Amino acid sequence: MRWYVFSASSRASRCSSLPENAAVRKVATGDAVVDLSAVRPKRARIQQARAEIRLATALLTHLAQRGRSLASCTQADVDAWYAGGYVARRLTHAFVRWAIRSKHAPILVLQHRSTSNPAPIAQHQRLILLRQTLGREDIPLQDRVAAALVVLYAQPITRITRLTTNDVLQDDDEVVIRLGDPPSPVPNPSPGCC
């Protein structure tokens, strides 16, 4: 437990103003430590607690760069923070809720955004997106191809960006793309498609 309090205190001391130091210390040595001391903490929980403190400190730094403190932050400041990377920064929800509850911050709305996979889109919607994507001459060709691959194969963009020309193969009359094993066929454009 001692490492956790020390880690929280050292991170808090890097914040620019005294009220923020106290806020991070209170969270780190209060709610989070009680949670960790209830049972022997698992490694994952300890890592999450470290990440929460690191991100709370980063949020305070973000506010300081905008000329704000925790007490003077606005909804726009919080929205800008989450817009910069919601999935990673959602770990600061507990800190912000605590700050609001303990009156270290004004009342703010924390938007909940689902990070789970959305429902698949219908075939006709995919075709409409494909037409719109491929028909836009104002968008560079490589971007249109990447968007078409996302629409056609529902692959994450990180996987699409790793593809090379070596992943596109022609086998007899069929073009295939190596997204896995076996490679996936590339559909021929139908007359009304694009």
PDB file of all heavy atoms in Angstrom, residues 141-158:
ATOM      1  N   LEU A 141      -7.605   8.937 -53.559  1.00  0.00           N
ATOM      2  CA  LEU A 141      -7.914   7.551 -53.892  1.00  0.00           C
ATOM      3  C   LEU A 141      -7.558   6.596 -52.762  1.00  0.00           C
ATOM      4  O   LEU A 141      -8.345   5.707 -52.421  1.00  0.00           O
ATOM      5  CB  LEU A 141      -7.201   7.137 -55.186  1.00  0.00           C
ATOM      6  CG  LEU A 141      -7.427   5.689 -55.633  1.00  0.00           C
ATOM      7  CD1 LEU A 141      -8.903   5.437 -55.894  1.00  0.00           C
ATOM      8  CD2 LEU A 141      -6.590   5.385 -56.865  1.00  0.00           C
ATOM      9  N   GLN A 142      -6.396   6.758 -52.141  1.00  0.00           N
ATOM     10  CA  GLN A 142      -5.991   5.834 -51.081  1.00  0.00           C
ATOM     11  C   GLN A 142      -6.963   5.892 -49.894  1.00  0.00           C
ATOM     12  O   GLN A 142      -7.244   4.876 -49.266  1.00  0.00           O
ATOM     13  CB  GLN A 142      -4.562   6.091 -50.627  1.00  0.00           C
ATOM     14  CG  GLN A 142      -4.342   7.460 -50.013  1.00  0.00           C
ATOM     15  CD  GLN A 142      -2.885   7.823 -49.863  1.00  0.00           C
ATOM     16  OE1 GLN A 142      -2.049   7.330 -50.605  1.00  0.00           O
ATOM     17  NE2 GLN A 142      -2.590   8.678 -48.918  1.00  0.00           N
ATOM     18  N   ASP A 143      -7.502   7.064 -49.595  1.00  0.00           N
ATOM     19  CA  ASP A 143      -8.476   7.191 -48.509  1.00  0.00           C
ATOM     20  C   ASP A 143      -9.798   6.526 -48.885  1.00  0.00           C
ATOM     21  O   ASP A 143     -10.443   5.893 -48.051  1.00  0.00           O
ATOM     22  CB  ASP A 143      -8.718   8.661 -48.160  1.00  0.00           C
ATOM     23  CG  ASP A 143      -7.491   9.327 -47.554  1.00  0.00           C
ATOM     24  OD1 ASP A 143      -6.560   8.604 -47.146  1.00  0.00           O
ATOM     25  OD2 ASP A 143      -7.467  10.572 -47.500  1.00  0.00           O
ATOM     26  N   ARG A 144     -10.194   6.669 -50.161  1.00  0.00           N
ATOM     27  CA  ARG A 144     -11.433   6.022 -50.617  1.00  0.00           C
ATOM     28  C   ARG A 144     -11.302   4.505 -50.583  1.00  0.00           C
ATOM     29  O   ARG A 144     -12.233   3.802 -50.187  1.00  0.00           O
ATOM     30  CB  ARG A 144     -11.797   6.495 -52.022  1.00  0.00           C
ATOM     31  CG  ARG A 144     -12.316   7.929 -52.035  1.00  0.00           C
ATOM     32  CD  ARG A 144     -12.779   8.356 -53.398  1.00  0.00           C
ATOM     33  NE  ARG A 144     -11.605   8.669 -54.220  1.00  0.00           N
ATOM     34  CZ  ARG A 144     -11.585   8.630 -55.532  1.00  0.00           C
ATOM     35  NH1 ARG A 144     -12.650   8.286 -56.210  1.00  0.00           N
ATOM     36  NH2 ARG A 144     -10.492   8.958 -56.184  1.00  0.00           N
ATOM     37  N   VAL A 145     -10.140   3.994 -50.974  1.00  0.00           N
ATOM     38  CA  VAL A 145      -9.914   2.547 -50.939  1.00  0.00           C
ATOM     39  C   VAL A 145      -9.953   2.044 -49.497  1.00  0.00           C
ATOM     40  O   VAL A 145     -10.589   1.030 -49.197  1.00  0.00           O
ATOM     41  CB  VAL A 145      -8.576   2.172 -51.624  1.00  0.00           C
ATOM     42  CG1 VAL A 145      -8.220   0.707 -51.376  1.00  0.00           C
ATOM     43  CG2 VAL A 145      -8.651   2.463 -53.111  1.00  0.00           C
ATOM     44  N   ALA A 146      -9.303   2.748 -48.585  1.00  0.00           N
ATOM     45  CA  ALA A 146      -9.311   2.351 -47.171  1.00  0.00           C
ATOM     46  C   ALA A 146     -10.736   2.352 -46.622  1.00  0.00           C
ATOM     47  O   ALA A 146     -11.155   1.413 -45.937  1.00  0.00           O
ATOM     48  CB  ALA A 146      -8.419   3.279 -46.352  1.00  0.00           C
ATOM     49  N   ALA A 147     -11.507   3.392 -46.934  1.00  0.00           N
ATOM     50  CA  ALA A 147     -12.894   3.469 -46.470  1.00  0.00           C
ATOM     51  C   ALA A 147     -13.732   2.336 -47.059  1.00  0.00           C
ATOM     52  O   ALA A 147     -14.552   1.730 -46.361  1.00  0.00           O
ATOM     53  CB  ALA A 147     -13.501   4.818 -46.830  1.00  0.00           C
ATOM     54  N   ALA A 148     -13.512   2.032 -48.341  1.00  0.00           N
ATOM     55  CA  ALA A 148     -14.253   0.933 -48.976  1.00  0.00           C
ATOM     56  C   ALA A 148     -13.927  -0.395 -48.313  1.00  0.00           C
ATOM     57  O   ALA A 148     -14.816  -1.227 -48.090  1.00  0.00           O
ATOM     58  CB  ALA A 148     -13.933   0.880 -50.466  1.00  0.00           C
ATOM     59  N   LEU A 149     -12.673  -0.610 -47.929  1.00  0.00           N
ATOM     60  CA  LEU A 149     -12.293  -1.852 -47.257  1.00  0.00           C
ATOM     61  C   LEU A 149     -12.931  -1.954 -45.871  1.00  0.00           C
ATOM     62  O   LEU A 149     -13.346  -3.034 -45.447  1.00  0.00           O
ATOM     63  CB  LEU A 149     -10.770  -1.965 -47.162  1.00  0.00           C
ATOM     64  CG  LEU A 149     -10.050  -2.198 -48.491  1.00  0.00           C
ATOM     65  CD1 LEU A 149      -8.536  -2.088 -48.305  1.00  0.00           C
ATOM     66  CD2 LEU A 149     -10.433  -3.537 -49.089  1.00  0.00           C
ATOM     67  N   VAL A 150     -13.033  -0.827 -45.189  1.00  0.00           N
ATOM     68  CA  VAL A 150     -13.705  -0.825 -43.886  1.00  0.00           C
ATOM     69  C   VAL A 150     -15.176  -1.189 -44.067  1.00  0.00           C
ATOM     70  O   VAL A 150     -15.722  -2.024 -43.341  1.00  0.00           O
ATOM     71  CB  VAL A 150     -13.564   0.540 -43.177  1.00  0.00           C
ATOM     72  CG1 VAL A 150     -14.474   0.635 -41.968  1.00  0.00           C
ATOM     73  CG2 VAL A 150     -12.120   0.785 -42.773  1.00  0.00           C
ATOM     74  N   VAL A 151     -15.825  -0.587 -45.055  1.00  0.00           N
ATOM     75  CA  VAL A 151     -17.250  -0.851 -45.298  1.00  0.00           C
ATOM     76  C   VAL A 151     -17.471  -2.292 -45.750  1.00  0.00           C
ATOM     77  O   VAL A 151     -18.369  -2.978 -45.268  1.00  0.00           O
ATOM     78  CB  VAL A 151     -17.830   0.147 -46.336  1.00  0.00           C
ATOM     79  CG1 VAL A 151     -19.225  -0.254 -46.767  1.00  0.00           C
ATOM     80  CG2 VAL A 151     -17.836   1.555 -45.770  1.00  0.00           C
ATOM     81  N   LEU A 152     -16.635  -2.780 -46.650  1.00  0.00           N
ATOM     82  CA  LEU A 152     -16.825  -4.124 -47.203  1.00  0.00           C
ATOM     83  C   LEU A 152     -16.500  -5.243 -46.220  1.00  0.00           C
ATOM     84  O   LEU A 152     -17.202  -6.250 -46.156  1.00  0.00           O
ATOM     85  CB  LEU A 152     -15.955  -4.309 -48.457  1.00  0.00           C
ATOM     86  CG  LEU A 152     -16.429  -3.638 -49.726  1.00  0.00           C
ATOM     87  CD1 LEU A 152     -15.358  -3.746 -50.802  1.00  0.00           C
ATOM     88  CD2 LEU A 152     -17.738  -4.251 -50.202  1.00  0.00           C
ATOM     89  N   TYR A 153     -15.408  -5.075 -45.459  1.00  0.00           N
ATOM     90  CA  TYR A 153     -14.923  -6.182 -44.639  1.00  0.00           C
ATOM     91  C   TYR A 153     -15.051  -5.956 -43.140  1.00  0.00           C
ATOM     92  O   TYR A 153     -14.676  -6.826 -42.362  1.00  0.00           O
ATOM     93  CB  TYR A 153     -13.460  -6.479 -44.994  1.00  0.00           C
ATOM     94  CG  TYR A 153     -13.310  -6.927 -46.425  1.00  0.00           C
ATOM     95  CD1 TYR A 153     -12.825  -6.047 -47.395  1.00  0.00           C
ATOM     96  CD2 TYR A 153     -13.686  -8.196 -46.823  1.00  0.00           C
ATOM     97  CE1 TYR A 153     -12.697  -6.440 -48.714  1.00  0.00           C
ATOM     98  CE2 TYR A 153     -13.566  -8.596 -48.132  1.00  0.00           C
ATOM     99  CZ  TYR A 153     -13.079  -7.720 -49.081  1.00  0.00           C
ATOM    100  OH  TYR A 153     -12.958  -8.120 -50.377  1.00  0.00           O
ATOM    101  N   ALA A 154     -15.540  -4.806 -42.731  1.00  0.00           N
ATOM    102  CA  ALA A 154     -15.738  -4.487 -41.307  1.00  0.00           C
ATOM    103  C   ALA A 154     -14.466  -4.716 -40.489  1.00  0.00           C
ATOM    104  O   ALA A 154     -14.509  -5.190 -39.364  1.00  0.00           O
ATOM    105  CB  ALA A 154     -16.901  -5.293 -40.736  1.00  0.00           C
ATOM    106  N   GLN A 155     -13.341  -4.348 -41.085  1.00  0.00           N
ATOM    107  CA  GLN A 155     -12.065  -4.472 -40.390  1.00  0.00           C
ATOM    108  C   GLN A 155     -11.722  -3.149 -39.729  1.00  0.00           C
ATOM    109  O   GLN A 155     -12.045  -2.088 -40.264  1.00  0.00           O
ATOM    110  CB  GLN A 155     -10.955  -4.848 -41.378  1.00  0.00           C
ATOM    111  CG  GLN A 155     -11.139  -6.190 -42.032  1.00  0.00           C
ATOM    112  CD  GLN A 155     -11.040  -7.317 -41.040  1.00  0.00           C
ATOM    113  OE1 GLN A 155     -10.093  -7.406 -40.282  1.00  0.00           O
ATOM    114  NE2 GLN A 155     -12.044  -8.183 -41.036  1.00  0.00           N
ATOM    115  N   PRO A 156     -11.051  -3.187 -38.580  1.00  0.00           N
ATOM    116  CA  PRO A 156     -10.644  -1.920 -37.965  1.00  0.00           C
ATOM    117  C   PRO A 156      -9.637  -1.205 -38.856  1.00  0.00           C
ATOM    118  O   PRO A 156      -8.852  -1.846 -39.563  1.00  0.00           O
ATOM    119  CB  PRO A 156     -10.014  -2.340 -36.632  1.00  0.00           C
ATOM    120  CG  PRO A 156      -9.805  -3.798 -36.704  1.00  0.00           C
ATOM    121  CD  PRO A 156     -10.645  -4.350 -37.803  1.00  0.00           C
ATOM    122  N   ILE A 157      -9.642   0.101 -38.796  1.00  0.00           N
ATOM    123  CA  ILE A 157      -8.765   0.898 -39.652  1.00  0.00           C
ATOM    124  C   ILE A 157      -7.298   0.585 -39.377  1.00  0.00           C
ATOM    125  O   ILE A 157      -6.463   0.649 -40.279  1.00  0.00           O
ATOM    126  CB  ILE A 157      -9.085   2.417 -39.527  1.00  0.00           C
ATOM    127  CG1 ILE A 157      -8.444   3.213 -40.667  1.00  0.00           C
ATOM    128  CG2 ILE A 157      -8.634   2.959 -38.197  1.00  0.00           C
ATOM    129  CD1 ILE A 157      -9.053   2.959 -42.003  1.00  0.00           C
ATOM    130  N   THR A 158      -6.973   0.190 -38.146  1.00  0.00           N
ATOM    131  CA  THR A 158      -5.585  -0.152 -37.833  1.00  0.00           C
ATOM    132  C   THR A 158      -5.126  -1.363 -38.635  1.00  0.00           C
ATOM    133  O   THR A 158      -3.966  -1.447 -39.026  1.00  0.00           O
ATOM    134  CB  THR A 158      -5.411  -0.434 -36.332  1.00  0.00           C
ATOM    135  OG1 THR A 158      -6.360  -1.424 -35.927  1.00  0.00           O
ATOM    136  CG2 THR A 158      -5.590   0.819 -35.507  1.00  0.00           C
TER     137      THR A 158
END
